[in-house]
Amino acid sequence: MLLTLLLLLCAQRCEPAELFLTVSPSQPVEGNSMNLTCRTRPPLQIGIRLQFCFFKDVSVLGPSWTDSPELRVPALTRAHSGSYWCAARTTEAAPKTLRSRRVQILVRRVPVHTVSLETRPPGGRVMEGETLVLVCVAAGGTGDITFRWYRGPLGSKLGERTQPSLAAEFEVPAVREGEETYYCAADNGHGPSLSGLVSIAVGIPVSQPVLTVQAPGAEKAAGEAVELHCEAARGSPPILYLFYHEDVRLGSRSAPFGGGASFNLSLTADHSGNYSCEADNGRGPRRSEVVPLHVTAQDVCSSYRSPSPRQLTHRSLSSVPAEDGESLPPAILEGLLGSLGLTAVALIVCCWLKRRAGEYLWRLEDAQPGIHPVNVVSGGEVYSLVYHTQQERQSAAAPSLRTRVQGTDPSAIYSRVNTASTSDDDYEDAM
């Protein structure tokens, strides 16, 4: 029994020790860490100290010799794949060195997956001439990833970038007008993973709008209606148009599908001044040039409606001289009616009536009560359509009456009454 125990103790002391390297985890993944442990088997006797050193292929990992039998390798990459081993030595005066067997380690790479394309500004709301940033993002994947960007469904390559991250950016300077589609791809050695197509509608800033006013620059009368029309030749819809009078905002109109917009205005005397408009589609407003407009008060003469030639011909005319010795024969009046037209004659009648003939109308009423003149003025004379109030209608066969009034009044009054009596209907027709 004693002999058996001695033999066992001798066997343990005489058995040569071996060095082993263990790796945890056994299948490391790129981006994770890995632990290396160096152990002897069987364990050395108590009191014997060892120092350890770790190697990859022929390169030393970490410090040359250390008292720790473990080494941690953080953030693995594909470059960490290779052959690993360790060595141990005693600290005695005559040290002995042990070496482990080599362990082949392959760092696994996680393929890139779930790739998407994002834009800056968000949603791809970019205007013509601005810079568009395309951001390619992968939800997963390890190691160095190569990102590529493409324009259009046929894949016109824009650029490429490789970096150890899950996202990369690419700038498209000075984007062009119109709608474009983009996509990206990411690859870490397991094949490319593609994003979906992203459509970018490149907007166009509004150009300087043009304001047009009905009869621009011309005088307009109070009470008339004008249309202010504002339109920008270029610009992405929707466009908001604002209308101003002397920098005071009148109102706004929206053009959701582009084009111009109009604003209607009923003129008053206060509407004289400068008008302008503004166009804005969210990328800065643009103001039009100023358009002046002058509004005049409505002239009473413009409301006068001249009688027709038939009324002038078939109604009685009485001439009242505007000044002594001056008279306008009927032949000249008919010539004026034929050459100048009814409108010009009506204006002449109205203006002369206001300025020079008012006093004669009152004298006519004072001279012969019952006579109610309706005046037509031309040249230096006043012609009057005379309505004579009578108790009884004259007979159609009664002779015409010519009356001349003489007295101290220096103004002579001449009147001619048609053979047929003048009726109320005839007077109203004359008016």
Side-chain angles (χ1 to χ4, degrees):
M1 188 68 170
L2 182 58
L3 181 60
T4 304
L5 291 175
L6 292 174
L7 291 174
L8 290 174
L9 291 174
C10 182
Q12 291 179 357
R13 292 177 63 87
C14 296
E15 182 180 357
E18 290 186 79
L19 199 62
F20 294 92
L21 176 67
T22 59
V23 180
S24 178
S26 59
Q27 294 182 339
V29 175
E30 195 173 33
N32 295 337
S33 62
M34 176 178 65
N35 293 324
L36 304 177
T37 305
C38 197
R39 289 188 174 91
T40 60
R41 189 184 298 167
L44 298 179
Q45 295 178 0
I46 299 175
I48 299 177
R49 294 179 58 192
L50 296 176
Q51 289 182 327
F52 303 91
C53 186
F54 297 87
F55 301 86
K56 175 185 178 293
D57 297 329
V58 295
S59 301
V60 177
L61 297 176
S64 179
W65 292 97
T66 178
D67 293 335
S68 175
E70 296 184 355
L71 177 68
R72 183 173 181 269
V73 182
L76 295 173
T77 65
R78 290 291 294 271
H80 287 103
S81 298
S83 179
Y84 288 81
W85 55 283
C86 67
R89 71 180 181 180
T90 62
T91 59
E92 300 173 351
K96 296 180 181 180
T97 302
L98 299 175
R99 292 187 178 184
S100 72
R101 294 179 180 180
R102 291 178 179 269
V103 177
Q104 196 68 29
I105 296 176
L106 177 63
V107 179
R108 294 188 306 110
R109 175 168 287 180
V110 177
V112 176
H113 62 90
T114 318
V115 176
S116 60
L117 181 64
E118 300 175 357
T119 61
R120 260 198 331 263
R125 297 184 58 186
V126 62
M127 302 301 286
E128 183 183 24
E130 294 182 344
T131 298
L132 174 66
V133 179
L134 304 175
V135 184
C136 194
V137 181
T142 57
D144 289 342
I145 301 177
T146 300
F147 297 91
R148 299 179 179 89
W149 291 266
Y150 301 90
R151 176 191 284 127
L154 299 180
S156 174
K157 186 177 177 180
L158 297 174
E160 178 180 318
R161 184 169 298 171
T162 301
Q163 58 190 52
S165 64
L166 294 176
E169 298 180 356
F170 180 81
E171 289 187 356
V172 181
V175 291
R176 300 172 300 181
E177 174 187 355
E179 184 173 343
E180 295 282 0
T181 56
Y182 299 89
Y183 70 94
C184 69
D187 185 10
N188 63 351
H190 290 272
S193 179
L194 305 180
S195 73
L197 283 171
V198 175
S199 296
I200 304 297
V202 180
I204 305 173
V206 292
S207 60
Q208 183 180 23
V210 176
L211 177 66
T212 56
V213 183
Q214 183 182 4
E219 291 189 356
K220 304 296 294 182
E224 296 186 22
V226 296
E227 180 183 17
L228 308 178
H229 185 78
C230 187
E231 184 169 358
R234 299 181 75 247
S236 300
I239 302 176
L240 179 65
Y241 291 97
L242 298 97
F243 297 86
Y244 294 91
H245 173 224
E246 301 291 357
D247 292 330
V248 177
R249 181 174 168 181
L250 297 174
S252 62
R253 295 291 185 270
S254 178
F257 305 105
S262 298
F263 184 84
N264 294 323
L265 187 65
S266 181
L267 295 179
T268 64
D270 295 334
H271 284 140
S272 293
N274 295 324
Y275 288 81
S276 62
C277 69
E278 190 175 87
D280 188 7
N281 64 349
R283 291 293 178 175
R286 297 290 302 274
R287 181 70 71 94
S288 71
E289 297 290 341
V290 171
V291 177
L293 183 65
H294 182 68
V295 181
T296 60
Q298 188 175 13
D299 191 357
V300 295
C301 291
S302 62
S303 61
Y304 178 79
R305 186 176 66 182
S306 60
S308 64
R310 180 178 180 275
Q311 291 172 335
L312 290 175
T313 303
H314 294 82
R315 295 294 181 267
S316 299
L317 293 176
S318 298
S319 61
V320 180
E323 296 179 0
D324 292 343
E326 295 185 2
S327 175
L328 184 65
I332 298 178
L333 178 61
E334 293 177 358
L336 289 175
L337 290 175
S339 61
L340 299 179
L342 298 179
T343 303
V345 173
L347 290 176
I348 294 173
V349 168
C350 180
C351 295
W352 276 98
L353 174 63
K354 289 194 302 183
R355 293 193 324 176
R356 304 181 59 183
E359 57 180 302
Y360 298 106
L361 303 181
W362 295 107
R363 292 176 181 178
L364 179 62
E365 289 182 318
D366 293 339
Q368 294 190 8
I371 297 178
H372 304 282
V374 179
N375 302 286
V376 179
V377 180
S378 178
E381 293 187 1
V382 178
Y383 289 84
S384 177
L385 299 176
V386 179
Y387 177 77
H388 189 275
T389 305
Q390 298 179 352
Q391 298 297 327
E392 296 180 0
R393 297 177 60 92
Q394 295 180 356
S395 170
S400 60
L401 175 64
R402 177 179 299 268
T403 305
R404 181 171 181 176
V405 180
Q406 297 180 351
T408 60
D409 191 344
S411 299
I413 301 176
Y414 298 91
S415 64
R416 176 181 296 176
V417 180
N418 284 342
T419 302
S421 62
T422 305
S423 65
D424 292 345
D425 293 338
D426 294 334
Y427 174 71
E428 291 175 358
D429 291 342
M431 290 296 295

